[in-house]
Amino acid sequence: DPYRRTWLLNMKAYEVARYVEKPDLSRGVFLVFGPNQGLVFETSTKLLQYFDRISDEPLEKVTLDTAGILEDPSQLVIHATTIPMFGTTMAIRIRNATKRLTPILTELLEIKPETIIILEADNLPPRDSLRLLMEKNPAARTLPCYADDERAIGELIRRGFVNEDIKIEPDAISLL
């Protein structure tokens, strides 16, 4: 569906919370980025929790740092392409992701590993090579994490009431 693909490429910060509740990919690369590092960490954690919940077996998780990967790029490729011993799904969390990972991830995306890779990055400008790589690849998603704006706060309030099975009028949401 071209409309859905466009939406995924242009996902807004306020849509990320809803997306991580049920991502459209079961494997692939998720770039979680933004100036709000607490929200980046929280969003990454929620993605991992989602995949852990839907998996028949607990995820096999590995956390790597960009500096370590740049020293030895093979460690990422080995983790991403090795089938876990107990047949579970591999989830790799990469902290401090930067555009310096772009060449390594380009090669990795060509292999199409059956792995979940979550990249945590600072704020990335629209022309950043890592962000562009993720936005253009069908096996990747970009999840921006910015400070809550009025719309995000309204959605949070609405979702809170819905979760408690309480009806709320739009005027009441804007008042809150």
Side-chain angles (χ1 to χ4, degrees), residues 3-18:
Y3 172 77
R4 180 150 176 76
R5 180 72 184 137
T6 301
W7 174 77
L8 290 167
L9 288 176
N10 299 306
M11 195 180 316
K12 304 296 182 212
Y14 68 87
E15 297 169 318
V16 170
R18 184 181 60 178

Side-chain angles (χ1 to χ4, degrees), residues 12-30:
K12 304 296 182 212
Y14 68 87
E15 297 169 318
V16 170
R18 184 181 60 178
Y19 177 81
V20 298
E21 290 174 6
K22 190 172 182 194
D24 66 323
L25 295 178
S26 59
R27 305 285 185 278
V29 182
F30 299 85

